[in-house]
Amino acid sequence: MAVGAVVGLVIVVVLALLLLSLSVRMVQQYQRGIVFRFGRVLDRVRGPGLQLIVPVADRMVRVSMQTTVIGVPAQGVITRDNVTLTVDAVVYYRVVDPVKALVNVRDYPAAVLQVAQTALRSVIGKADLDTLLRDRDRINAELKAVIDAPTEKPWGLLIERVEVKDVSLPEGMKRSMSRQAEAERERRARVIAADGEFQASRRLADASRAMAGTPGAYQLRLLQTVVDVAAEKNSTLVMPFPVELLRFFDVVARRSGAAAVGHEPAAAPGAGPSGTPEREPAAAPGAERADGHRGGPPAR
């Protein structure tokens, strides 16, 4: 009698433990539990902690609410300006409605990957190469909007972030872009140098006007230049020659030449350019002179 009671008690305890193990489920902090009772989803989503379900009738599926990162494989894309590129991206998403993520789509990570590949080809194909390289933020925003549209409401997924990781260009395109960048940098350098020369010329013009009002400023500037040159410990000292002195000599030379021309003695009447008397031109043979005789040799 006593042995039978002990055996019965043991059987009851074993059945209770088995029933408890079938009805208790552990849900982690980053998970949510979805309970299916005879194939139908219960409205209440189970939170983290120990959760009790009806054995045999209920089945719990845990869904992770963490942010998931998937890499989009490299895709060969032709841009709007007919440039062939190889582009890859990365997508960050998380589940916001675990019921939709389980019921409305099968294997939602794979579904998100396929949508991301299609969206990457579509968005890159509508953009120019310059836009893709310069305005990467706008491309990322367009990718996020395109991927988020079919996944948020129907599948219960939230696309948090989409980024283009790498853009691989053909070698010929890389060489062309490097030459273009070099030419652009050279153009900027020339413009900056020309702008500096223009500003320096304006400053020099202002300085010359300021120094023109004070004649002694030129002499002070000359002495300062001599001091700067002598500070280098050179064996040769270069002294600038004032331009005003050259102009003075030029004016004196012109005045001396004009005075010399004004005091030249006048030539005698009938004299040639050198002052000698001009000879009367000989009459032609047989021609009659002014005194009535004909030209020619005198008669004997």
Side-chain angles (χ1 to χ4, degrees):
M1 183 69 180
V3 175
V6 172
V7 171
L9 182 60
V10 170
I11 293 175
V12 171
V13 171
V14 170
L15 290 177
L17 292 176
L18 180 61
L19 183 63
L20 182 63
S21 64
L22 293 176
S23 60
V24 175
R25 294 290 184 272
M26 176 69 71
V27 179
Q28 301 295 332
Q29 181 67 37
Y30 57 87
Q31 294 176 339
R32 297 295 182 269
I34 308 301
V35 178
F36 292 86
R37 179 166 295 174
F38 296 110
R40 296 173 62 90
V41 179
L42 299 182
D43 296 335
R44 189 169 70 90
V45 177
R46 305 299 175 90
L50 290 176
Q51 301 293 333
L52 296 177
I53 61 175
V54 178
V56 180
D58 293 347
R59 182 176 64 90
M60 176 180 288
V61 179
R62 302 176 184 87
V63 179
S64 177
M65 307 297 289
Q66 293 175 317
T67 299
T68 305
V69 182
I70 59 172
V72 181
Q75 304 292 317
V77 185
I78 299 178
T79 61
R80 190 171 63 178
D81 49 354
N82 297 326
V83 178
T84 303
L85 304 174
T86 302
V87 184
D88 57 352
V90 59
V91 180
Y92 302 82
Y93 74 93
R94 62 184 178 88
V95 178
V96 294
D97 192 339
V99 176
K100 291 182 179 180
L102 285 178
V103 176
N104 294 350
V105 60
R106 180 179 180 181
D107 193 5
Y108 58 86
V112 172
L113 178 60
Q114 295 299 322
V115 172
Q117 291 180 359
T118 306
L120 183 63
R121 289 176 176 270
S122 176
V123 172
I124 300 300
K126 295 178 182 178
D128 296 332
L129 177 61
D130 294 338
T131 304
L132 179 60
L133 296 178
R134 289 198 312 264
D135 198 358
R136 190 72 64 85
D137 293 337
R138 186 171 70 85
I139 299 297
N140 295 338
E142 291 183 4
L143 281 172
K144 179 180 180 302
V146 172
I147 300 175
D148 199 25
T151 57
E152 183 176 5
K153 292 183 178 180
W155 297 349
L157 305 176
L158 176 63
I159 306 299
E160 295 183 342
R161 192 173 182 180
V162 181
E163 291 185 357
V164 176
K165 289 198 302 184
D166 187 23
V167 179
S168 299
L169 298 173
E171 293 298 328
M173 181 61 64
K174 290 181 180 179
R175 289 193 294 268
S176 299
M177 294 178 64
S178 63
R179 290 195 298 269
Q180 179 183 0
E182 184 178 358
E184 179 66 20
R185 287 193 296 268
E186 185 177 356
R187 182 189 68 84
R188 292 180 181 178
R190 290 182 177 180
V191 170
I192 292 173
D195 190 18
E197 292 180 359
F198 174 71
Q199 294 179 6
S201 64
R202 295 185 62 180
R203 295 300 182 185
L204 289 175
D206 295 340
S208 64
R209 284 192 294 268
M211 295 175 68
T214 306
Y218 288 102
Q219 187 66 23
L220 293 177
R221 182 57 182 166
L222 175 60
L223 296 176
Q224 182 65 36
T225 304
V226 172
V227 170
D228 293 340
V229 174
E232 299 294 335
K233 298 181 181 180
N234 297 325
S235 59
T236 303
L237 184 60
V238 179
M239 294 293 295
F241 195 79
V243 180
E244 288 75 9
L245 189 57
L246 295 177
R247 292 176 181 174
F248 172 74
F249 287 138
D250 186 22
V251 172
V252 171
R254 290 182 180 180
R255 290 180 180 177
S256 300
V261 172
H263 290 82
E264 183 178 358
S274 60
T276 58
E278 294 184 355
R279 295 181 180 181
E280 184 177 326
E288 186 176 0
R289 295 186 301 181
D291 53 1
H293 296 281
R294 293 179 176 273
R300 293 182 179 178

